[in-house]
Amino acid sequence: MARFGGHDRASRFVLDPTTTPAEILGGREDFALLEIDATGRPVLQVLPGMIGELRIGVSRMTVAHMLVDPALTNRELGGARLPLPYGARIRIQCGPRTFVARVGGPPLMHTMLGAPATSRPQLARS
């Protein structure tokens, strides 16, 4: 997303060689962990060497499971690609960085009074 509109909040989910171990990026200049596909749906992309999980309600799928699932394998990518449904929560560790995101739902940030800071869904990184 940062490639299309400059540096915005979504650019936090683009991995680059300065913060990502070379063995994970596999020679790539950068890598979008989260993308928006042509239909406007968020898509999670993972590579070997990443760890973490996807949660939808009480269901859980690890990155290791994504990488071995033939339905999610993307040979061009060299990893797995998974469209995310509303309510999905992800936590992916890539080298020293951990990425946390949620698709839809209430904002992750609140004002001091406890009211939502914005009506748009927020992405968070820790």
Side-chain angles (χ1 to χ4, degrees):
M1 289 191 218
R3 296 179 199 135
F4 303 118
H7 297 286
D8 59 353
R9 293 179 58 84
S11 67
R12 297 180 306 170
F13 296 95
V14 175
L15 309 179
D16 65 71
T18 62
T19 59
T20 307
E23 61 272 9
I24 293 175
L25 283 181
R28 294 176 179 88
E29 209 172 290
D30 63 12
F31 179 78
L33 186 63
L34 291 175
E35 283 192 332
I36 304 296
D37 69 10
T39 66
R41 188 173 188 179
V43 177
L44 172 65
Q45 301 184 114
V46 293
L47 297 171
M50 294 179 179
I51 58 174
E53 65 185 15
L54 161 70
R55 288 187 179 263
I56 303 168
V58 297
S59 299
R60 175 181 176 262
M61 181 178 226
T62 66
V63 169
H65 288 118
M66 292 175 209
L67 291 169
V68 297
D69 187 329
L72 303 178
T73 301
N74 183 319
R75 292 177 196 221
E76 182 180 312
L77 174 67
R81 192 169 192 279
L82 177 65
L84 298 173
Y86 186 84
R89 296 168 300 170
I90 63 166
R91 181 178 184 92
I92 306 292
Q93 185 176 349
C94 187
R97 297 178 74 188
T98 299
F99 297 87
V100 178
R102 177 178 56 203
V103 177
L108 295 175
M109 313 242 344
H110 293 278
T111 64
M112 293 295 287
L113 299 176
T118 177
S119 60
R120 288 182 34 206
Q122 302 289 314
L123 298 177
R125 179 187 78 182
S126 62

